[in-house]
Amino acid sequence: MNAGEAVAAQAGGVDGAKNNAGEMQKKDKPARKTEATDTPEKFKATLADLDEQRTALAKSAIEQLKPGRPFDPVVVRQINKIETKKNRLIVSRFASLLRKNNPAVQAIVHQIIEI
C-alpha cells in the first residue's frame, strides 16, 4: 500500500478519496472556453464565418446545376452540418448567458427564446 492509499484508507477508503478529489476538481474547474463563451465580437465573427461557408457551398451547388448533370446531395449534407453547428453555437451562447445569474441578462435571454 503506498502513502496515497494509506491516507485514503484512513479518510474512508480509496473510492471516498477519489470522490473527494473529483468534487474538488469540479469546484476549481473554470468554465470551458468555447466560441459561445468568447467575447461578443468573436461570437459574431464565428457566426459570420459559418454564414460565409454556407453561402459559398450554396453558390457552388447552384453553379454546378446544369441540364443532364446529376445533383450532388453531399452539398446539402455539408450545408446542414454548417447550419447544425451554427444552431448549437447559438444555443450554447444562450446557455452561457443564463449561467451568469444576472437577472437582467436572464430576462433578455428568455424574451429572445420566446420569440
Side-chain angles (χ1 to χ4, degrees), residues 4 6 18 21 23-24 28 30 33 36-37 40 52 55 59 64 69 72-74 89 91 96 98 109-110 112:
K18 287 180 183 177
E23 289 174 12
M24 291 296 284
D28 296 338
K33 198 71 171 155
T37 58
E52 288 174 14
T55 303
K59 283 183 180 180
Q64 297 297 323
R69 233 176 142 179
D72 187 15
V74 174
L89 187 63
V91 169
S96 70
L98 283 172
V109 170
H110 284 296
I112 292 171

Side-chain angles (χ1 to χ4, degrees), residues 17 30 43 57 69 79 94 97 99 104:
F43 178 71
L57 280 171
R69 233 176 142 179
I79 291 172
F94 283 145
L97 290 173
R99 272 181 271 172

Side-chain angles (χ1 to χ4, degrees), residues 16-29:
K18 287 180 183 177
N19 289 340
N20 289 340
E23 289 174 12
M24 291 296 284
Q25 287 177 350
K26 287 179 185 177
K27 291 178 184 176
D28 296 338
K29 186 175 163 183

